[in-house]
Coordinates of all heavy atoms in Angstrom, one line a residue:
K1 N 187.2 120.4 133.7 CA 185.8 120.2 134.0 C 185.2 121.6 134.4 O 184.1 121.9 134.0 CB 185.7 119.2 135.1 CG 184.2 118.8 135.3 CD 183.8 117.8 134.3 CE 182.5 117.2 134.7 NZ 181.9 116.3 133.7
L2 N 185.9 122.4 135.2 CA 185.3 123.7 135.6 C 185.1 124.6 134.4 O 184.1 125.4 134.4 CB 186.2 124.4 136.6 CG 186.2 123.8 138.0 CD1 187.2 124.5 138.9 CD2 184.8 123.8 138.6
D3 N 186.0 124.5 133.4 CA 185.7 125.3 132.2 C 184.4 125.0 131.5 O 183.7 125.8 131.0 CB 186.9 125.1 131.2 CG 188.1 125.8 131.6 OD1 188.0 126.9 132.2 OD2 189.2 125.4 131.2
Q4 N 184.1 123.7 131.5 CA 182.8 123.3 131.0 C 181.6 123.9 131.8 O 180.7 124.3 131.2 CB 182.7 121.7 131.0 CG 181.4 121.2 130.4 CD 181.4 119.7 130.6 OE1 182.3 119.0 131.0 NE2 180.2 119.1 130.2
Y5 N 181.7 123.9 133.1 CA 180.7 124.4 133.9 C 180.6 125.9 133.7 O 179.5 126.5 133.7 CB 180.9 124.1 135.4 CG 180.8 122.7 135.7 CD1 181.7 122.1 136.6 CD2 179.7 121.9 135.2 CE1 181.6 120.7 136.9 CE2 179.6 120.6 135.6 CZ 180.5 120.0 136.4 OH 180.4 118.7 136.7
R6 N 181.7 126.6 133.5 CA 181.7 128.0 133.3 C 181.0 128.4 132.0 O 180.3 129.4 131.9 CB 183.1 128.6 133.3 CG 183.7 128.7 134.7 CD 185.1 129.3 134.7 NE 185.0 130.6 134.2 CZ 186.1 131.3 133.7 NH1 187.2 130.7 133.6 NH2 185.9 132.5 133.3
T7 N 181.1 127.5 131.0 CA 180.4 127.7 129.7 C 178.9 127.6 129.9 O 178.1 128.3 129.3 CB 180.9 126.7 128.7 OG1 182.3 126.8 128.5 CG2 180.2 126.9 127.3
Q8 N 178.5 126.7 130.8 CA 177.1 126.5 131.0 C 176.5 127.6 131.9 O 175.3 127.8 131.9 CB 176.8 125.1 131.7 CG 177.2 124.0 130.8 CD 177.2 122.6 131.5 OE1 176.9 122.5 132.6 NE2 177.5 121.6 130.7
A9 N 177.3 128.2 132.7 CA 176.8 129.2 133.7 C 177.7 130.5 133.6 O 178.5 130.8 134.5 CB 176.7 128.7 135.1
P10 N 177.7 131.2 132.4 CA 178.7 132.2 132.2 C 178.6 133.4 133.2 O 179.6 134.1 133.4 CB 178.5 132.7 130.8 CG 177.1 132.3 130.5 CD 176.8 131.0 131.3
Q11 N 177.5 133.6 133.8 CA 177.3 134.7 134.7 C 177.7 134.4 136.1 O 177.7 135.3 137.0 CB 175.9 135.2 134.7 CG 175.4 135.7 133.3 CD 176.3 136.8 132.8 OE1 176.7 137.7 133.5 NE2 176.6 136.7 131.5
S12 N 178.1 133.2 136.4 CA 178.4 132.8 137.8 C 179.8 133.3 138.1 O 180.8 133.2 137.4 CB 178.5 131.3 137.9 OG 179.0 130.9 139.1
R13 N 179.9 134.0 139.3 CA 181.2 134.4 139.8 C 181.8 133.3 140.6 O 183.0 133.3 140.8 CB 180.9 135.6 140.8 CG 180.7 136.9 140.1 CD 180.6 138.1 141.1 NE 181.5 137.9 142.2 CZ 181.2 138.3 143.4 NH1 180.1 138.9 143.7 NH2 182.0 138.1 144.4
R14 N 181.1 132.4 141.1 CA 181.6 131.4 142.0 C 182.5 130.4 141.3 O 183.6 130.0 141.8 CB 180.5 130.6 142.7 CG 179.8 131.4 143.7 CD 178.7 130.6 144.4 NE 178.0 131.4 145.3 CZ 176.8 131.2 145.8 NH1 176.1 130.1 145.3 NH2 176.2 132.0 146.7
L15 N 182.2 130.1 140.1 CA 183.0 129.1 139.3 C 184.4 129.6 139.0 O 185.4 128.9 139.3 CB 182.3 128.7 138.1 CG 181.1 127.7 138.3 CD1 180.3 127.5 137.0 CD2 181.5 126.4 139.0
P16 N 184.6 130.9 138.5 CA 185.9 131.3 138.3 C 186.7 131.5 139.6 O 187.9 131.3 139.6 CB 185.8 132.6 137.5 CG 184.3 133.0 137.5 CD 183.6 131.8 137.9
I17 N 186.0 131.9 140.7 CA 186.7 132.0 141.9 C 187.2 130.6 142.4 O 188.3 130.5 142.8 CB 185.8 132.7 143.0 CG1 185.6 134.2 142.6 CG2 186.4 132.5 144.4 CD1 184.6 134.9 143.5
L18 N 186.4 129.6 142.3 CA 186.7 128.3 142.6 C 187.9 127.8 141.7 O 188.9 127.2 142.2 CB 185.6 127.3 142.5 CG 185.8 125.9 142.7 CD1 186.3 125.6 144.2 CD2 184.6 125.1 142.5
Q19 N 187.8 128.1 140.5 CA 188.9 127.7 139.6 C 190.2 128.5 139.9 O 191.3 127.9 139.9 CB 188.5 128.0 138.1 CG 189.4 127.4 137.1 CD 188.9 127.5 135.7 OE1 188.0 128.3 135.4 NE2 189.4 126.8 134.8
A20 N 190.1 129.7 140.3 CA 191.3 130.5 140.7 C 191.9 129.9 141.9 O 193.1 129.8 142.1 CB 190.9 132.0 140.8
R21 N 191.0 129.6 142.9 CA 191.5 129.0 144.2 C 192.2 127.7 143.9 O 193.2 127.4 144.5 CB 190.4 128.8 145.2 CG 189.8 130.1 145.7 CD 190.6 130.7 146.7 NE 190.7 129.9 147.9 CZ 191.8 129.6 148.6 NH1 193.0 130.2 148.2 NH2 191.8 128.8 149.6
T22 N 191.7 126.9 143.0 CA 192.4 125.7 142.6 C 193.8 125.9 142.0 O 194.8 125.3 142.4 CB 191.5 124.9 141.6 OG1 190.3 124.6 142.2 CG2 192.2 123.6 141.2
H23 N 193.9 126.9 141.1 CA 195.2 127.3 140.6 C 196.1 127.8 141.7 O 197.3 127.4 141.7 CB 195.1 128.4 139.6 CG 194.6 128.0 138.2 ND1 195.3 127.1 137.4 CD2 193.4 128.2 137.6 CE1 194.7 126.9 136.3 NE2 193.5 127.5 136.4
M24 N 195.6 128.5 142.7 CA 196.4 128.9 143.8 C 197.0 127.7 144.6 O 198.1 127.7 145.0 CB 195.6 129.9 144.7 CG 195.3 131.2 144.1 SD 194.2 132.2 145.0 CE 195.2 132.7 146.4
L25 N 196.1 126.8 144.8 CA 196.6 125.6 145.6 C 197.7 124.8 144.8 O 198.5 124.2 145.4 CB 195.4 124.6 145.8 CG 194.4 125.2 146.9 CD1 193.1 124.3 146.9 CD2 195.0 125.2 148.2
L26 N 197.6 124.9 143.5 CA 198.6 124.3 142.6 C 199.8 125.2 142.4 O 200.7 124.8 141.5 CB 198.0 123.9 141.3 CG 196.9 122.8 141.4 CD1 196.2 122.6 140.0 CD2 197.4 121.5 141.9
E27 N 199.8 126.3 143.0 CA 200.9 127.3 142.9 C 201.0 127.9 141.5 O 202.1 128.2 141.0 CB 202.2 126.8 143.4 CG 202.2 126.4 144.8 CD 203.5 125.9 145.4 OE1 204.5 125.8 144.6 OE2 203.5 125.5 146.6
Q28 N 199.9 128.0 140.8 CA 199.8 128.6 139.5 C 199.1 130.0 139.7 O 198.0 130.2 139.3 CB 198.9 127.7 138.6 CG 199.5 126.3 138.4 CD 198.6 125.4 137.7 OE1 197.4 125.6 137.6 NE2 199.1 124.2 137.2
Y29 N 199.9 130.9 140.2 CA 199.4 132.2 140.7 C 199.0 133.1 139.5 O 198.0 133.8 139.6 CB 200.3 132.8 141.6 CG 200.6 132.0 142.8 CD1 201.8 131.3 143.0 CD2 199.6 131.8 143.8 CE1 202.0 130.5 144.1 CE2 199.8 131.0 144.9 CZ 201.0 130.3 145.0 OH 201.2 129.5 146.1
Q30 N 199.7 133.1 138.4 CA 199.4 133.9 137.3 C 198.1 133.5 136.7 O 197.2 134.3 136.3 CB 200.5 133.9 136.2 CG 200.2 134.9 135.1 CD 200.1 136.4 135.7 OE1 201.0 136.9 136.3 NE2 199.0 137.0 135.4
E31 N 197.8 132.2 136.6 CA 196.5 131.7 136.1 C 195.4 132.1 137.0 O 194.3 132.5 136.5 CB 196.6 130.2 136.0 CG 197.5 129.6 134.9 CD 198.9 129.5 135.3 OE1 199.4 130.0 136.3 OE2 199.7 128.8 134.5
A32 N 195.6 132.1 138.3 CA 194.6 132.6 139.2 C 194.3 134.1 139.0 O 193.2 134.5 139.0 CB 195.0 132.4 140.7
I33 N 195.4 134.9 138.9 CA 195.2 136.3 138.6 C 194.4 136.6 137.3 O 193.5 137.4 137.3 CB 196.6 137.0 138.5 CG1 197.2 137.0 139.9 CG2 196.5 138.4 138.0 CD1 198.7 137.3 140.0
D34 N 194.7 135.8 136.3 CA 194.1 135.9 135.0 C 192.6 135.7 135.1 O 191.8 136.2 134.4 CB 194.7 135.0 133.9 CG 196.1 135.5 133.6 OD1 196.5 136.6 133.9 OD2 196.9 134.6 133.0
L35 N 192.2 134.8 136.0 CA 190.8 134.5 136.2 C 190.1 135.5 137.1 O 188.9 135.9 136.9 CB 190.6 133.1 136.9 CG 190.8 131.9 135.9 CD1 191.0 130.7 136.7 CD2 189.7 131.8 135.0
L36 N 190.8 136.1 138.1 CA 190.2 136.9 139.1 C 190.1 138.4 138.6 O 189.1 139.0 138.9 CB 191.0 136.9 140.4 CG 191.0 135.6 141.1 CD1 192.1 135.5 142.2 CD2 189.6 135.3 141.7
N37 N 191.1 138.9 137.9 CA 191.0 140.3 137.5 C 189.8 140.7 136.7 O 189.2 141.7 137.0 CB 192.3 140.7 136.7 CG 193.3 141.3 137.6 OD1 193.0 142.0 138.6 ND2 194.6 141.0 137.3
P38 N 189.3 139.9 135.8 CA 188.1 140.2 135.0 C 186.9 140.3 135.9 O 185.9 141.0 135.6 CB 187.9 139.2 134.0 CG 189.3 138.6 133.8 CD 190.0 138.7 135.2
L39 N 186.9 139.6 137.0 CA 185.7 139.6 137.9 C 185.5 140.9 138.6 O 184.4 141.3 139.0 CB 185.9 138.5 139.0 CG 185.8 137.1 138.5 CD1 186.0 136.1 139.7 CD2 184.5 136.8 137.8
L40 N 186.6 141.7 138.8 CA 186.5 143.0 139.4 C 185.6 143.9 138.5 O 184.9 144.8 139.1 CB 187.9 143.6 139.6 CG 188.7 142.9 140.6 CD1 190.1 143.6 140.7 CD2 188.1 143.0 142.0
D41 N 185.7 143.8 137.2 CA 184.9 144.6 136.3 C 183.4 144.2 136.3 O 182.5 144.9 135.9 CB 185.4 144.6 134.9 CG 186.8 145.2 134.8 OD1 187.1 146.1 135.6 OD2 187.6 144.7 134.0
Q42 N 183.2 142.9 136.7 CA 181.8 142.3 136.6 C 181.1 142.4 137.9 O 179.9 142.0 138.0 CB 181.9 140.9 136.1 CG 182.6 140.7 134.8 CD 182.9 139.2 134.5 OE1 182.6 138.3 135.4 NE2 183.5 138.9 133.4
T43 N 181.7 142.8 138.9 CA 181.2 142.8 140.3 C 180.8 144.1 140.8 O 181.5 145.1 140.6 CB 182.2 142.1 141.2 OG1 182.6 140.8 140.7 CG2 181.6 141.9 142.6
N44 N 179.7 144.2 141.5 CA 179.3 145.5 142.1 C 180.3 146.0 143.1 O 180.9 145.2 143.8 CB 177.9 145.3 142.7 CG 176.8 145.0 141.8 OD1 176.9 145.4 140.6 ND2 175.8 144.3 142.2
E45 N 180.4 147.3 143.1 CA 181.3 147.9 144.2 C 180.8 147.4 145.5 O 179.7 147.4 145.8 CB 181.2 149.4 144.0 CG 182.2 150.2 144.8 CD 183.6 150.1 144.2 OE1 183.7 149.9 143.0 OE2 184.6 150.2 145.0
G46 N 181.8 147.2 146.4 CA 181.4 146.8 147.8 C 181.2 145.3 147.9 O 180.9 144.8 149.0
N47 N 181.4 144.5 146.9 CA 181.2 143.1 147.0 C 182.4 142.3 146.3 O 182.2 141.3 145.7 CB 179.9 142.7 146.3 CG 179.5 141.3 146.6 OD1 179.9 140.7 147.6 ND2 178.6 140.7 145.8
T48 N 183.6 142.9 146.5 CA 184.8 142.3 145.9 C 185.9 142.0 146.8 O 187.0 141.6 146.4 CB 185.4 143.4 144.9 OG1 185.7 144.6 145.6 CG2 184.4 143.7 143.7
R49 N 185.6 142.0 148.1 CA 186.7 141.8 149.1 C 187.5 140.5 148.9 O 188.7 140.5 149.0 CB 186.2 142.0 150.5 CG 185.4 140.9 151.0 CD 185.0 141.3 152.5 NE 184.1 140.3 153.0 CZ 182.8 140.3 153.0 NH1 182.2 141.4 152.5 NH2 182.0 139.4 153.5
W50 N 186.8 139.4 148.7 CA 187.5 138.1 148.5 C 188.2 138.0 147.2 O 189.3 137.4 147.2 CB 186.5 136.9 148.7 CG 186.1 136.9 150.1 CD1 184.8 137.1 150.6 CD2 186.9 136.6 151.3 NE1 184.8 137.0 152.0 CE2 186.1 136.6 152.4 CE3 188.3 136.3 151.4 CZ2 186.6 136.4 153.7 CZ3 188.7 136.0 152.7 CH2 187.9 136.1 153.8
I51 N 187.8 138.7 146.2 CA 188.5 138.7 144.9 C 189.8 139.5 145.2 O 190.9 139.0 144.8 CB 187.7 139.4 143.8 CG1 186.4 138.5 143.5 CG2 188.5 139.5 142.6 CD1 185.4 139.2 142.7
H52 N 189.7 140.6 145.9 CA 190.9 141.4 146.2 C 191.9 140.6 147.1 O 193.1 140.6 146.9 CB 190.6 142.7 146.9 CG 190.1 143.7 145.9 ND1 190.8 144.3 144.9 CD2 188.8 144.3 145.8 CE1 190.1 145.2 144.2 NE2 188.9 145.2 144.7
Y53 N 191.3 139.9 148.0 CA 192.2 139.1 148.9 C 192.9 138.0 148.2 O 194.2 137.9 148.3 CB 191.3 138.4 150.0 CG 192.1 137.6 151.0 CD1 192.9 138.2 152.0 CD2 192.2 136.2 150.9 CE1 193.7 137.5 152.9 CE2 193.0 135.5 151.7 CZ 193.7 136.1 152.7 OH 194.5 135.4 153.6
Y54 N 192.3 137.3 147.3 CA 192.9 136.2 146.6 C 193.9 136.8 145.6 O 195.0 136.2 145.3 CB 191.9 135.3 145.8 CG 191.0 134.6 146.8 CD1 189.6 134.4 146.5 CD2 191.5 134.0 147.9 CE1 188.8 133.8 147.3 CE2 190.6 133.3 148.8 CZ 189.3 133.2 148.5 OH 188.4 132.5 149.3
L55 N 193.6 138.0 145.0 CA 194.6 138.6 144.1 C 195.8 139.1 144.9 O 196.9 138.9 144.5 CB 193.9 139.9 143.5 CG 193.0 139.5 142.3 CD1 192.2 140.7 141.9 CD2 193.9 139.1 141.1
A56 N 195.6 139.6 146.1 CA 196.7 140.0 147.0 C 197.6 138.8 147.3 O 198.9 138.9 147.2 CB 196.2 140.6 148.3
V57 N 197.0 137.7 147.6 CA 197.8 136.5 148.0 C 198.6 136.0 146.7 O 199.8 135.7 146.8 CB 196.9 135.4 148.5 CG1 197.7 134.0 148.6 CG2 196.3 135.7 149.8
S58 N 198.0 136.0 145.6 CA 198.6 135.6 144.3 C 199.8 136.5 143.9 O 200.8 136.0 143.6 CB 197.6 135.5 143.2 OG 196.6 134.5 143.5
Y59 N 199.5 137.8 144.0 CA 200.6 138.8 143.7 C 201.7 138.7 144.7 O 202.9 138.8 144.3 CB 200.0 140.2 143.6 CG 199.3 140.5 142.3 CD1 198.0 140.8 142.3 CD2 200.0 140.5 141.1 CE1 197.3 141.2 141.1 CE2 199.4 140.8 139.9 CZ 198.1 141.1 139.9 OH 197.4 141.5 138.7
D60 N 201.4 138.4 145.9 CA 202.5 138.3 146.9 C 203.3 137.1 146.6 O 204.6 137.2 146.7 CB 201.8 138.1 148.3 CG 202.9 138.2 149.4 OD1 203.6 139.2 149.5 OD2 203.0 137.2 150.1
E61 N 202.7 136.0 146.2 CA 203.5 134.8 145.8 C 204.4 135.0 144.6 O 205.5 134.4 144.5 CB 202.6 133.6 145.6 CG 201.9 133.1 146.8 CD 202.9 132.4 147.8 OE1 204.0 132.0 147.4 OE2 202.5 132.3 149.0
L62 N 204.0 136.0 143.8 CA 204.8 136.3 142.6 C 205.7 137.5 142.9 O 206.4 138.0 142.0 CB 203.9 136.7 141.4 CG 203.0 135.5 140.9 CD1 202.1 136.0 139.8 CD2 203.9 134.4 140.4
E63 N 205.8 137.9 144.1 CA 206.6 139.0 144.6 C 206.4 140.3 143.9 O 207.3 141.1 143.7 CB 208.1 138.6 144.5 CG 208.4 137.4 145.4 CD 209.9 137.0 145.4 OE1 210.7 137.7 144.8 OE2 210.2 136.0 146.0
N64 N 205.1 140.5 143.6 CA 204.7 141.8 143.0 C 204.0 142.5 144.2 O 202.8 142.5 144.3 CB 203.7 141.6 141.9 CG 203.3 142.9 141.2 OD1 203.4 144.0 141.8 ND2 202.9 142.8 139.9
F65 N 204.8 143.2 145.0 CA 204.4 143.7 146.3 C 203.5 145.0 146.1 O 202.7 145.3 146.9 CB 205.5 143.9 147.2 CG 206.3 142.7 147.4 CD1 207.6 142.6 147.1 CD2 205.7 141.5 148.0 CE1 208.4 141.4 147.3 CE2 206.4 140.4 148.2 CZ 207.7 140.3 147.8
E66 N 203.7 145.7 145.0 CA 202.9 146.9 144.7 C 201.4 146.5 144.5 O 200.5 147.1 145.1 CB 203.4 147.6 143.5 CG 202.7 148.9 143.2 CD 203.4 149.7 142.1 OE1 204.6 149.8 142.1 OE2 202.6 150.2 141.2
E67 N 201.2 145.4 143.7 CA 199.9 145.0 143.5 C 199.3 144.3 144.7 O 198.1 144.4 145.0 CB 199.8 144.0 142.3 CG 200.0 144.6 140.9 CD 198.8 145.5 140.6 OE1 197.7 145.2 141.0 OE2 199.0 146.5 139.8
T68 N 200.2 143.6 145.5 CA 199.7 143.0 146.7 C 199.1 144.0 147.6 O 198.0 143.9 148.2 CB 200.9 142.3 147.4 OG1 201.4 141.3 146.6 CG2 200.5 141.7 148.8
E69 N 199.9 145.1 147.8 CA 199.4 146.2 148.7 C 198.2 146.9 148.2 O 197.2 147.1 149.0 CB 200.5 147.2 148.9 CG 200.2 148.3 149.9 CD 201.3 149.3 150.1 OE1 202.5 149.0 149.9 OE2 201.0 150.4 150.6
A70 N 198.1 147.1 146.9 CA 196.9 147.7 146.4 C 195.6 146.9 146.6 O 194.6 147.4 147.0 CB 197.1 148.0 144.9
H71 N 195.8 145.6 146.5 CA 194.6 144.7 146.7 C 194.3 144.5 148.1 O 193.1 144.4 148.5 CB 194.8 143.4 145.9 CG 194.6 143.5 144.5 ND1 193.4 143.7 143.9 CD2 195.5 143.5 143.5 CE1 193.6 143.8 142.6 NE2 194.9 143.7 142.3
L72 N 195.3 144.5 149.0 CA 195.0 144.5 150.4 C 194.3 145.8 150.9 O 193.4 145.7 151.7 CB 196.3 144.3 151.2 CG 196.9 142.9 151.2 CD1 198.2 142.8 151.9 CD2 195.9 141.8 151.7
Q73 N 194.7 146.9 150.4 CA 194.0 148.1 150.7 C 192.6 148.1 150.2 O 191.7 148.6 150.9 CB 194.8 149.3 150.1 CG 196.1 149.6 150.9 CD 196.9 150.8 150.3 OE1 196.5 151.3 149.2 NE2 198.0 151.1 150.9
A74 N 192.3 147.6 149.0 CA 191.0 147.5 148.5 C 190.1 146.6 149.4 O 189.0 146.9 149.6 CB 191.0 147.0 147.0
Y75 N 190.7 145.5 149.8 CA 190.0 144.6 150.7 C 189.7 145.3 152.0 O 188.5 145.2 152.5 CB 190.9 143.4 151.0 CG 190.3 142.4 152.0 CD1 189.5 141.4 151.6 CD2 190.5 142.6 153.4 CE1 188.9 140.5 152.5 CE2 189.9 141.7 154.3 CZ 189.2 140.7 153.9 OH 188.6 139.8 154.8
L76 N 190.6 146.0 152.6 CA 190.4 146.7 153.8 C 189.3 147.8 153.7 O 188.7 148.2 154.7 CB 191.7 147.2 154.4 CG 192.6 146.2 155.0 CD1 194.0 146.8 155.3 CD2 192.0 145.5 156.2
K77 N 189.1 148.4 152.6 CA 188.0 149.3 152.4 C 186.7 148.7 152.7 O 185.8 149.3 153.1 CB 188.1 149.9 151.0 CG 189.1 151.0 150.8 CD 189.1 151.6 149.4 CE 190.2 152.6 149.2 NZ 190.2 153.1 147.8
E78 N 186.6 147.4 152.3 CA 185.3 146.7 152.5 C 185.2 146.1 153.9 O 184.1 145.8 154.4 CB 185.1 145.7 151.4 CG 184.9 146.3 150.0 CD 184.7 145.2 149.0 OE1 183.9 144.3 149.2 OE2 185.3 145.3 147.9
E79 N 186.4 145.7 154.4 CA 186.4 144.9 155.7 C 187.5 145.5 156.5 O 188.5 144.9 156.8 CB 186.7 143.5 155.4 CG 186.4 142.5 156.5 CD 184.9 142.4 156.8 OE1 184.1 142.3 155.9 OE2 184.6 142.4 158.0
P80 N 187.3 146.8 157.1 CA 188.4 147.5 157.7 C 188.9 146.9 159.0 O 190.0 147.2 159.4 CB 187.8 148.9 157.9 CG 186.3 148.7 157.9 CD 186.1 147.5 157.0
N81 N 188.2 146.0 159.6 CA 188.6 145.5 160.9 C 189.0 144.1 160.9 O 189.0 143.4 162.0 CB 187.5 145.7 162.0 CG 187.2 147.2 162.2 OD1 188.1 148.0 162.3 ND2 185.9 147.6 162.3
D82 N 189.3 143.5 159.8 CA 189.7 142.1 159.6 C 191.1 141.9 160.3 O 192.1 142.4 159.7 CB 189.7 141.7 158.2 CG 189.9 140.2 158.0 OD1 190.5 139.6 158.9 OD2 189.4 139.7 157.0
P83 N 191.2 141.2 161.4 CA 192.4 141.1 162.1 C 193.4 140.2 161.3 O 194.7 140.4 161.5 CB 192.1 140.4 163.4 CG 190.8 139.7 163.1 CD 190.1 140.5 162.1
D84 N 193.0 139.4 160.4 CA 193.9 138.5 159.6 C 194.6 139.3 158.6 O 195.7 139.0 158.1 CB 193.2 137.4 159.0 CG 192.7 136.4 160.0 OD1 193.3 136.2 161.0 OD2 191.6 135.8 159.7
V85 N 194.0 140.4 158.1 CA 194.6 141.3 157.1 C 195.4 142.4 157.7 O 196.4 142.9 157.2 CB 193.6 141.7 156.1 CG1 194.2 142.7 155.0 CG2 193.0 140.5 155.4
L86 N 194.9 142.9 158.8 CA 195.6 144.0 159.5 C 196.9 143.5 159.9 O 197.9 144.1 159.9 CB 194.8 144.5 160.7 CG 193.5 145.2 160.3 CD1 192.7 145.5 161.6 CD2 193.7 146.5 159.5

């Protein structure tokens, strides 16, 4: 159903994020990554922290720790004092 909504609102960032979060809840982390990575190219600098956070969590679950660290660092650039990530 979310794919249908994404077709109707192709510029929406919220729908693919919601769909990615659903994949994460279902432990389908690669599918979440595939939805989130393109959003980084479509989003203004400084407004990507949650995309980076969800990517970090997904990569961590896939034990790709290099990507996990890179996305956590990107998150911290935007939100340097977040105690949950520090």
